[in-house]
Amino acid sequence: MKAVLFDRYGPPEVLYVGRRPVPAIGPDEVLVRVRAAGVNGGDLHDRTGKVRLVTGRAFPKGCGIDFAGEVAGVGASVRGVREGRRVWGLMGRRTGSMAEYVAVSPRRIAPAPDNLTPEEAVSLLAGATTALTALRDKAALQPGERLLVRGGSGGVGSVAVQVGRVLGARVVALAGGRNLDFVRGLGAEEALDHRTTALSALGRFDVVLDTVGTEQARVRRLLAPGGRMVAVAPDLDRPLAWLGTVLGSAVHGKGRIRFFSGNPDSALLAEAARLAEHGDIVPVVDTVHPLDGVADAQRALAAGGVRGKHVVRVR
């Protein structure tokens, strides 16, 4: 099968489409024929080696964490999953979804939204599960509360704006100047240019969702009494300083910064699918790239200014 691979850490040029055997599934696994995969910030960190302490030095490595497609094989011990069913899911703690087939646990998939193409579905997947976990489960966002989404036009932020609206919050989003109308169209009451808006002018927030990773100590000062901040992106350019900020927030001042590494199960994936099928959240596709265009997709994501998600059409 075809798969996106890289043999060393480096720039986007290290990515190539190679061949690997179709995965052999165990009795408790499912084989999925992948139609589309999302391009995520973590893919860039994996490829550049910023998280090499986790990813290690064994090559070649695969690319991608999320996918949409259909079931192509079912292990002997798996129940409730049938071949041909359209599904979406994540690789768990592994990478490699930018391939024609993936073998995964049935706990990491759920029926895909019936009203969306694979490309549309995968544009929502990681953002929806992250936003639901961050806003509903970690921050306990309540109707009428004031929510700030930092990075409101990106793959996570653009869905978080929608989830915040669904949960009844008054959503304020920071984004690039050319994307402000786009973010307002997703449900933000206010969308402000992060380059020209002073943080001190924003007022106080009950909940802050940070998808950017930088300057989190300053952003934390925007919390109202009883406010909650959730960070879904680390500052990998200054990892020790970032870690100190997160740990220090638990013992100094107001508002502990909550950070989590998402690993959604099938129940959360199914809930996100229901929101999509009801029209509560809508697809956020920036650009669809071919499989051999992954390097271009990662360059575009790294350049910033994205509207939603860059997606790779696998087959």
Side-chain angles (χ1 to χ4, degrees), residues 88-128:
W88 66 352
L90 294 106
M91 298 295 292
R93 299 300 184 188
R94 300 176 291 131
T95 59
S97 65
M98 292 183 187
E100 291 183 302
Y101 293 90
V102 295
V104 294
S105 165
R107 296 188 299 273
R108 301 300 172 211
I109 62 171
D114 287 334
N115 58 327
L116 302 181
T117 67
E119 293 82 5
E120 291 171 333
V122 84
S123 78
L124 286 174
L125 195 159

mmCIF file of all heavy atoms in Angstrom, residues 88-128:
data_model
loop_
_atom_site.group_PDB
_atom_site.id
_atom_site.type_symbol
_atom_site.label_atom_id
_atom_site.label_comp_id
_atom_site.label_asym_id
_atom_site.label_seq_id
_atom_site.Cartn_x
_atom_site.Cartn_y
_atom_site.Cartn_z
ATOM 1 N N TRP A 88 -14.876 7.029 11.127
ATOM 2 C CA TRP A 88 -13.784 7.973 11.336
ATOM 3 C C TRP A 88 -13.120 7.627 12.661
ATOM 4 O O TRP A 88 -13.713 6.933 13.499
ATOM 5 C CB TRP A 88 -14.233 9.415 11.268
ATOM 6 C CG TRP A 88 -15.189 9.919 12.347
ATOM 7 C CD1 TRP A 88 -15.823 9.189 13.304
ATOM 8 C CD2 TRP A 88 -15.598 11.271 12.532
ATOM 9 N NE1 TRP A 88 -16.616 10.007 14.079
ATOM 10 C CE2 TRP A 88 -16.486 11.290 13.628
ATOM 11 C CE3 TRP A 88 -15.294 12.458 11.901
ATOM 12 C CZ2 TRP A 88 -17.078 12.463 14.089
ATOM 13 C CZ3 TRP A 88 -15.886 13.625 12.367
ATOM 14 C CH2 TRP A 88 -16.764 13.617 13.439
ATOM 15 N N GLY A 89 -11.879 8.048 12.822
ATOM 16 C CA GLY A 89 -11.188 7.683 14.044
ATOM 17 C C GLY A 89 -9.792 8.243 14.114
ATOM 18 O O GLY A 89 -9.371 9.052 13.277
ATOM 19 N N LEU A 90 -9.083 7.812 15.150
ATOM 20 C CA LEU A 90 -7.720 8.276 15.394
ATOM 21 C C LEU A 90 -6.822 7.077 15.677
ATOM 22 O O LEU A 90 -7.286 5.998 16.042
ATOM 23 C CB LEU A 90 -7.679 9.253 16.563
ATOM 24 C CG LEU A 90 -8.409 10.575 16.320
ATOM 25 C CD1 LEU A 90 -9.712 10.578 17.098
ATOM 26 C CD2 LEU A 90 -7.559 11.764 16.717
ATOM 27 N N MET A 91 -5.537 7.307 15.528
ATOM 28 C CA MET A 91 -4.556 6.237 15.678
ATOM 29 C C MET A 91 -4.225 5.931 17.139
ATOM 30 O O MET A 91 -3.454 5.023 17.419
ATOM 31 C CB MET A 91 -3.259 6.621 14.954
ATOM 32 C CG MET A 91 -3.408 6.808 13.461
ATOM 33 S SD MET A 91 -3.854 5.288 12.591
ATOM 34 C CE MET A 91 -2.346 4.337 12.814
ATOM 35 N N GLY A 92 -4.762 6.680 18.082
ATOM 36 C CA GLY A 92 -4.383 6.499 19.473
ATOM 37 C C GLY A 92 -3.055 7.182 19.731
ATOM 38 O O GLY A 92 -2.862 8.345 19.341
ATOM 39 N N ARG A 93 -2.124 6.505 20.346
ATOM 40 C CA ARG A 93 -0.819 7.088 20.652
ATOM 41 C C ARG A 93 0.188 6.843 19.533
ATOM 42 O O ARG A 93 1.386 6.978 19.742
ATOM 43 C CB ARG A 93 -0.282 6.504 21.961
ATOM 44 C CG ARG A 93 -1.165 6.779 23.179
ATOM 45 C CD ARG A 93 -1.337 8.267 23.427
ATOM 46 N NE ARG A 93 -2.096 8.527 24.652
ATOM 47 C CZ ARG A 93 -2.523 9.728 25.011
ATOM 48 N NH1 ARG A 93 -2.279 10.766 24.239
ATOM 49 N NH2 ARG A 93 -3.200 9.888 26.133
ATOM 50 N N ARG A 94 -0.282 6.491 18.343
ATOM 51 C CA ARG A 94 0.603 6.212 17.220
ATOM 52 C C ARG A 94 0.350 7.219 16.108
ATOM 53 O O ARG A 94 -0.570 8.029 16.160
ATOM 54 C CB ARG A 94 0.375 4.793 16.688
ATOM 55 C CG ARG A 94 0.620 3.698 17.722
ATOM 56 C CD ARG A 94 0.270 2.331 17.142
ATOM 57 N NE ARG A 94 -1.156 2.178 16.937
ATOM 58 C CZ ARG A 94 -1.725 1.747 15.809
ATOM 59 N NH1 ARG A 94 -0.962 1.454 14.764
ATOM 60 N NH2 ARG A 94 -3.026 1.615 15.709
ATOM 61 N N THR A 95 1.171 7.155 15.069
ATOM 62 C CA THR A 95 0.952 7.935 13.855
ATOM 63 C C THR A 95 0.873 6.974 12.674
ATOM 64 O O THR A 95 1.100 5.779 12.817
ATOM 65 C CB THR A 95 2.100 8.940 13.625
ATOM 66 O OG1 THR A 95 3.334 8.221 13.519
ATOM 67 C CG2 THR A 95 2.201 9.937 14.773
ATOM 68 N N GLY A 96 0.532 7.526 11.497
ATOM 69 C CA GLY A 96 0.494 6.697 10.304
ATOM 70 C C GLY A 96 -0.831 6.654 9.585
ATOM 71 O O GLY A 96 -1.069 5.763 8.768
ATOM 72 N N SER A 97 -1.725 7.637 9.828
ATOM 73 C CA SER A 97 -3.033 7.603 9.182
ATOM 74 C C SER A 97 -2.988 8.012 7.711
ATOM 75 O O SER A 97 -3.955 7.769 6.987
ATOM 76 C CB SER A 97 -4.016 8.508 9.930
ATOM 77 O OG SER A 97 -3.633 9.880 9.846
ATOM 78 N N MET A 98 -1.881 8.625 7.266
ATOM 79 C CA MET A 98 -1.757 8.978 5.852
ATOM 80 C C MET A 98 -1.216 7.770 5.087
ATOM 81 O O MET A 98 -0.088 7.733 4.608
ATOM 82 C CB MET A 98 -0.862 10.207 5.683
ATOM 83 C CG MET A 98 -1.495 11.459 6.241
ATOM 84 S SD MET A 98 -0.486 12.934 5.986
ATOM 85 C CE MET A 98 -1.431 14.125 6.934
ATOM 86 N N ALA A 99 -2.073 6.779 5.009
ATOM 87 C CA ALA A 99 -1.755 5.520 4.343
ATOM 88 C C ALA A 99 -3.068 4.942 3.823
ATOM 89 O O ALA A 99 -4.153 5.314 4.290
ATOM 90 C CB ALA A 99 -1.088 4.543 5.304
ATOM 91 N N GLU A 100 -2.966 4.033 2.868
ATOM 92 C CA GLU A 100 -4.186 3.493 2.275
ATOM 93 C C GLU A 100 -4.975 2.613 3.244
ATOM 94 O O GLU A 100 -6.191 2.477 3.112
ATOM 95 C CB GLU A 100 -3.840 2.718 1.001
ATOM 96 C CG GLU A 100 -3.356 3.629 -0.124
ATOM 97 C CD GLU A 100 -3.069 2.884 -1.405
ATOM 98 O OE1 GLU A 100 -2.220 1.965 -1.371
ATOM 99 O OE2 GLU A 100 -3.688 3.214 -2.434
ATOM 100 N N TYR A 101 -4.283 2.017 4.223
ATOM 101 C CA TYR A 101 -4.952 1.191 5.229
ATOM 102 C C TYR A 101 -4.306 1.437 6.602
ATOM 103 O O TYR A 101 -3.096 1.676 6.693
ATOM 104 C CB TYR A 101 -4.836 -0.297 4.901
ATOM 105 C CG TYR A 101 -5.588 -0.728 3.669
ATOM 106 C CD1 TYR A 101 -4.973 -0.703 2.420
ATOM 107 C CD2 TYR A 101 -6.910 -1.163 3.745
ATOM 108 C CE1 TYR A 101 -5.649 -1.097 1.284
ATOM 109 C CE2 TYR A 101 -7.593 -1.564 2.607
ATOM 110 C CZ TYR A 101 -6.962 -1.521 1.386
ATOM 111 O OH TYR A 101 -7.644 -1.903 0.264
ATOM 112 N N VAL A 102 -5.116 1.350 7.647
ATOM 113 C CA VAL A 102 -4.599 1.391 9.019
ATOM 114 C C VAL A 102 -5.285 0.297 9.824
ATOM 115 O O VAL A 102 -6.443 -0.057 9.568
ATOM 116 C CB VAL A 102 -4.832 2.759 9.698
ATOM 117 C CG1 VAL A 102 -4.039 3.857 9.005
ATOM 118 C CG2 VAL A 102 -6.314 3.108 9.754
ATOM 119 N N ALA A 103 -4.565 -0.253 10.782
ATOM 120 C CA ALA A 103 -5.119 -1.214 11.730
ATOM 121 C C ALA A 103 -5.254 -0.526 13.076
ATOM 122 O O ALA A 103 -4.282 0.029 13.593
ATOM 123 C CB ALA A 103 -4.217 -2.439 11.842
ATOM 124 N N VAL A 104 -6.463 -0.521 13.639
ATOM 125 C CA VAL A 104 -6.723 0.203 14.875
ATOM 126 C C VAL A 104 -7.646 -0.605 15.773
ATOM 127 O O VAL A 104 -8.321 -1.535 15.340
ATOM 128 C CB VAL A 104 -7.360 1.589 14.607
ATOM 129 C CG1 VAL A 104 -6.400 2.506 13.882
ATOM 130 C CG2 VAL A 104 -8.661 1.440 13.825
ATOM 131 N N SER A 105 -7.683 -0.191 17.031
ATOM 132 C CA SER A 105 -8.633 -0.762 17.980
ATOM 133 C C SER A 105 -10.042 -0.258 17.648
ATOM 134 O O SER A 105 -10.210 0.913 17.273
ATOM 135 C CB SER A 105 -8.266 -0.349 19.401
ATOM 136 O OG SER A 105 -9.340 -0.600 20.293
ATOM 137 N N PRO A 106 -11.054 -1.092 17.798
ATOM 138 C CA PRO A 106 -12.430 -0.600 17.576
ATOM 139 C C PRO A 106 -12.818 0.493 18.548
ATOM 140 O O PRO A 106 -13.778 1.230 18.297
ATOM 141 C CB PRO A 106 -13.284 -1.857 17.761
ATOM 142 C CG PRO A 106 -12.435 -2.812 18.529
ATOM 143 C CD PRO A 106 -11.020 -2.518 18.135
ATOM 144 N N ARG A 107 -12.073 0.637 19.651
ATOM 145 C CA ARG A 107 -12.355 1.718 20.608
ATOM 146 C C ARG A 107 -11.944 3.074 20.068
ATOM 147 O O ARG A 107 -12.293 4.090 20.659
ATOM 148 C CB ARG A 107 -11.631 1.454 21.924
ATOM 149 C CG ARG A 107 -12.071 0.213 22.664
ATOM 150 C CD ARG A 107 -11.459 0.120 24.050
ATOM 151 N NE ARG A 107 -10.009 0.068 23.991
ATOM 152 C CZ ARG A 107 -9.307 -1.045 23.842
ATOM 153 N NH1 ARG A 107 -9.930 -2.203 23.707
ATOM 154 N NH2 ARG A 107 -7.986 -1.023 23.829
ATOM 155 N N ARG A 108 -11.193 3.103 18.962
ATOM 156 C CA ARG A 108 -10.704 4.357 18.388
ATOM 157 C C ARG A 108 -11.452 4.758 17.130
ATOM 158 O O ARG A 108 -11.032 5.672 16.424
ATOM 159 C CB ARG A 108 -9.203 4.245 18.077
ATOM 160 C CG ARG A 108 -8.342 3.930 19.281
ATOM 161 C CD ARG A 108 -8.458 4.998 20.351
ATOM 162 N NE ARG A 108 -7.785 4.605 21.575
ATOM 163 C CZ ARG A 108 -8.173 4.979 22.789
ATOM 164 N NH1 ARG A 108 -9.232 5.756 22.930
ATOM 165 N NH2 ARG A 108 -7.518 4.584 23.855
ATOM 166 N N ILE A 109 -12.576 4.109 16.817
ATOM 167 C CA ILE A 109 -13.373 4.473 15.654
ATOM 168 C C ILE A 109 -14.837 4.586 16.052
ATOM 169 O O ILE A 109 -15.257 4.092 17.099
ATOM 170 C CB ILE A 109 -13.230 3.463 14.494
ATOM 171 C CG1 ILE A 109 -13.740 2.087 14.929
ATOM 172 C CG2 ILE A 109 -11.780 3.386 14.015
ATOM 173 C CD1 ILE A 109 -13.843 1.082 13.784
ATOM 174 N N ALA A 110 -15.608 5.229 15.199
ATOM 175 C CA ALA A 110 -17.059 5.317 15.341
ATOM 176 C C ALA A 110 -17.633 5.581 13.959
ATOM 177 O O ALA A 110 -16.908 6.012 13.043
ATOM 178 C CB ALA A 110 -17.450 6.434 16.309
ATOM 179 N N PRO A 111 -18.939 5.327 13.755
ATOM 180 C CA PRO A 111 -19.538 5.662 12.460
ATOM 181 C C PRO A 111 -19.322 7.129 12.121
ATOM 182 O O PRO A 111 -19.524 8.006 12.952
ATOM 183 C CB PRO A 111 -21.020 5.345 12.684
ATOM 184 C CG PRO A 111 -21.016 4.271 13.729
ATOM 185 C CD PRO A 111 -19.884 4.631 14.655
ATOM 186 N N ALA A 112 -18.890 7.383 10.885
ATOM 187 C CA ALA A 112 -18.645 8.756 10.439
ATOM 188 C C ALA A 112 -19.976 9.463 10.194
ATOM 189 O O ALA A 112 -21.000 8.813 9.947
ATOM 190 C CB ALA A 112 -17.810 8.744 9.158
ATOM 191 N N PRO A 113 -19.998 10.789 10.254
ATOM 192 C CA PRO A 113 -21.238 11.524 9.966
ATOM 193 C C PRO A 113 -21.761 11.182 8.574
ATOM 194 O O PRO A 113 -21.026 11.265 7.584
ATOM 195 C CB PRO A 113 -20.811 12.994 10.056
ATOM 196 C CG PRO A 113 -19.594 12.982 10.927
ATOM 197 C CD PRO A 113 -18.893 11.691 10.631
ATOM 198 N N ASP A 114 -23.030 10.801 8.486
ATOM 199 C CA ASP A 114 -23.597 10.358 7.208
ATOM 200 C C ASP A 114 -23.691 11.477 6.184
ATOM 201 O O ASP A 114 -23.728 11.219 4.980
ATOM 202 C CB ASP A 114 -24.995 9.767 7.438
ATOM 203 C CG ASP A 114 -24.946 8.395 8.100
ATOM 204 O OD1 ASP A 114 -23.923 7.697 7.930
ATOM 205 O OD2 ASP A 114 -25.918 8.031 8.781
ATOM 206 N N ASN A 115 -23.742 12.710 6.646
ATOM 207 C CA ASN A 115 -23.975 13.839 5.739
ATOM 208 C C ASN A 115 -22.691 14.475 5.220
ATOM 209 O O ASN A 115 -22.752 15.485 4.508
ATOM 210 C CB ASN A 115 -24.809 14.912 6.443
ATOM 211 C CG ASN A 115 -24.159 15.430 7.724
ATOM 212 O OD1 ASN A 115 -23.479 14.676 8.421
ATOM 213 N ND2 ASN A 115 -24.372 16.698 8.034
ATOM 214 N N LEU A 116 -21.531 13.914 5.554
ATOM 215 C CA LEU A 116 -20.267 14.541 5.179
ATOM 216 C C LEU A 116 -19.416 13.602 4.338
ATOM 217 O O LEU A 116 -19.436 12.382 4.519
ATOM 218 C CB LEU A 116 -19.468 14.942 6.428
ATOM 219 C CG LEU A 116 -20.138 15.901 7.419
ATOM 220 C CD1 LEU A 116 -19.178 16.202 8.562
ATOM 221 C CD2 LEU A 116 -20.584 17.184 6.732
ATOM 222 N N THR A 117 -18.643 14.185 3.414
ATOM 223 C CA THR A 117 -17.640 13.423 2.687
ATOM 224 C C THR A 117 -16.488 13.081 3.636
ATOM 225 O O THR A 117 -16.353 13.695 4.703
ATOM 226 C CB THR A 117 -17.084 14.226 1.507
ATOM 227 O OG1 THR A 117 -16.331 15.345 2.020
ATOM 228 C CG2 THR A 117 -18.206 14.737 0.603
ATOM 229 N N PRO A 118 -15.625 12.121 3.274
ATOM 230 C CA PRO A 118 -14.480 11.834 4.137
ATOM 231 C C PRO A 118 -13.617 13.069 4.393
ATOM 232 O O PRO A 118 -13.125 13.261 5.518
ATOM 233 C CB PRO A 118 -13.714 10.758 3.363
ATOM 234 C CG PRO A 118 -14.758 10.063 2.563
ATOM 235 C CD PRO A 118 -15.722 11.144 2.169
ATOM 236 N N GLU A 119 -13.415 13.903 3.372
ATOM 237 C CA GLU A 119 -12.602 15.103 3.530
ATOM 238 C C GLU A 119 -13.256 16.076 4.508
ATOM 239 O O GLU A 119 -12.573 16.671 5.352
ATOM 240 C CB GLU A 119 -12.373 15.779 2.187
ATOM 241 C CG GLU A 119 -11.523 14.981 1.218
ATOM 242 C CD GLU A 119 -12.318 13.921 0.462
ATOM 243 O OE1 GLU A 119 -13.564 13.864 0.622
ATOM 244 O OE2 GLU A 119 -11.705 13.140 -0.281
ATOM 245 N N GLU A 120 -14.569 16.250 4.402
ATOM 246 C CA GLU A 120 -15.272 17.134 5.322
ATOM 247 C C GLU A 120 -15.252 16.576 6.742
ATOM 248 O O GLU A 120 -15.024 17.307 7.713
ATOM 249 C CB GLU A 120 -16.714 17.322 4.862
ATOM 250 C CG GLU A 120 -16.862 18.119 3.582
ATOM 251 C CD GLU A 120 -18.274 18.104 3.045
ATOM 252 O OE1 GLU A 120 -19.019 17.122 3.321
ATOM 253 O OE2 GLU A 120 -18.650 19.047 2.328
ATOM 254 N N ALA A 121 -15.469 15.288 6.861
ATOM 255 C CA ALA A 121 -15.513 14.662 8.185
ATOM 256 C C ALA A 121 -14.185 14.812 8.919
ATOM 257 O O ALA A 121 -14.148 15.214 10.086
ATOM 258 C CB ALA A 121 -15.890 13.185 8.054
ATOM 259 N N VAL A 122 -13.094 14.511 8.216
ATOM 260 C CA VAL A 122 -11.804 14.533 8.917
ATOM 261 C C VAL A 122 -11.379 15.957 9.263
ATOM 262 O O VAL A 122 -10.563 16.159 10.163
ATOM 263 C CB VAL A 122 -10.733 13.795 8.076
ATOM 264 C CG1 VAL A 122 -10.109 14.707 7.030
ATOM 265 C CG2 VAL A 122 -9.664 13.184 8.959
ATOM 266 N N SER A 123 -11.962 16.954 8.603
ATOM 267 C CA SER A 123 -11.657 18.336 8.971
ATOM 268 C C SER A 123 -12.221 18.692 10.339
ATOM 269 O O SER A 123 -11.767 19.639 10.980
ATOM 270 C CB SER A 123 -12.207 19.307 7.915
ATOM 271 O OG SER A 123 -13.609 19.503 8.056
ATOM 272 N N LEU A 124 -13.213 17.932 10.806
ATOM 273 C CA LEU A 124 -13.853 18.207 12.091
ATOM 274 C C LEU A 124 -13.338 17.322 13.215
ATOM 275 O O LEU A 124 -13.407 17.696 14.394
ATOM 276 C CB LEU A 124 -15.371 17.977 11.976
ATOM 277 C CG LEU A 124 -16.194 19.005 11.232
ATOM 278 C CD1 LEU A 124 -17.637 18.528 11.105
ATOM 279 C CD2 LEU A 124 -16.153 20.341 11.950
ATOM 280 N N LEU A 125 -12.806 16.172 12.883
ATOM 281 C CA LEU A 125 -12.610 15.107 13.855
ATOM 282 C C LEU A 125 -11.756 15.518 15.047
ATOM 283 O O LEU A 125 -12.214 15.509 16.196
ATOM 284 C CB LEU A 125 -12.012 13.893 13.133
ATOM 285 C CG LEU A 125 -12.031 12.555 13.848
ATOM 286 C CD1 LEU A 125 -11.898 11.436 12.827
ATOM 287 C CD2 LEU A 125 -10.922 12.428 14.853
ATOM 288 N N ALA A 126 -10.505 15.869 14.810
ATOM 289 C CA ALA A 126 -9.602 16.195 15.919
ATOM 290 C C ALA A 126 -10.062 17.449 16.651
ATOM 291 O O ALA A 126 -9.998 17.525 17.887
ATOM 292 C CB ALA A 126 -8.177 16.369 15.410
ATOM 293 N N GLY A 127 -10.533 18.450 15.901
ATOM 294 C CA GLY A 127 -10.987 19.682 16.527
ATOM 295 C C GLY A 127 -12.197 19.476 17.410
ATOM 296 O O GLY A 127 -12.281 20.020 18.522
ATOM 297 N N ALA A 128 -13.163 18.673 16.942
ATOM 298 C CA ALA A 128 -14.385 18.462 17.715
ATOM 299 C C ALA A 128 -14.108 17.689 18.998
ATOM 300 O O ALA A 128 -14.602 18.040 20.073
ATOM 301 C CB ALA A 128 -15.418 17.723 16.865
#
